[in-house]
Amino acid sequence: MTTDGKPVLDLIEGVSFRNVATHIDERGSLVEIYDTRWGWHPAPVVFAHCFTIRPGFVKGWGLHETHQDRYFILFGDMELVLFDPRPNSSTYGKINKILMSESNRRLVNIPTHVWHAEHNVGTTDVVVIDLPTEPYNHAAPDKYRLPIDTPLIPYSFGNARGW
């Protein structure tokens, strides 16, 4: 981050994130998750779900063709890993690792056709809220998967478990 809060990371084309402040006092905490007035993303909030990841596990690789994910971390420490396989993208072949935690909360947009995996690098469960740009279609899910150790993506999660 620069002194004015801008990311130094060279992000994959179409990825954006917004850091959010957590306000804490003796009673507890409050954090704003999403506000259309931020102008952060043009698509409205149409669906929301929450997922968890156990310590030492990875969920991924996943890719969507028609919708974008918008992740917000609530609890835990997670490394979001992105891989850009889009041949016409200016960041083709690039890997991004975006750290997200309850002490560094952020809202992250994952564009269509970008592989992504979520790795819990902490000691407690990770809790993430997803605000995808389309509701989940149970009859025909927009979800494509690869194993976490696929040779198609030049990244290793070491000894982490998952699929």
Side-chain angles (χ1 to χ4, degrees), residues 66-128:
T66 64
H67 81 266
Q68 299 176 44
D69 281 323
R70 296 177 289 193
Y71 286 175
F72 181 86
I73 190 161
L74 218 49
F75 296 109
D77 299 297
M78 180 176 86
E79 182 178 70
L80 174 62
V81 183
L82 309 172
F83 174 69
D84 188 353
R86 303 169 296 176
N88 296 327
S89 168
S90 65
T91 52
Y92 172 72
K94 187 169 190 62
I95 296 273
N96 276 164
K97 292 189 299 185
I98 300 172
L99 295 176
M100 302 173 73
S101 76
E102 61 193 71
S103 60
N104 182 24
R105 288 190 172 129
R106 46 180 50 162
L107 188 59
V108 177
N109 180 70
I110 304 167
T112 58
H113 299 98
V114 170
W115 289 104
H116 50 288
E118 303 81 32
H119 182 196
N120 183 336
V121 295
T123 58
T124 62
D125 282 5
V126 164
V127 180
V128 176

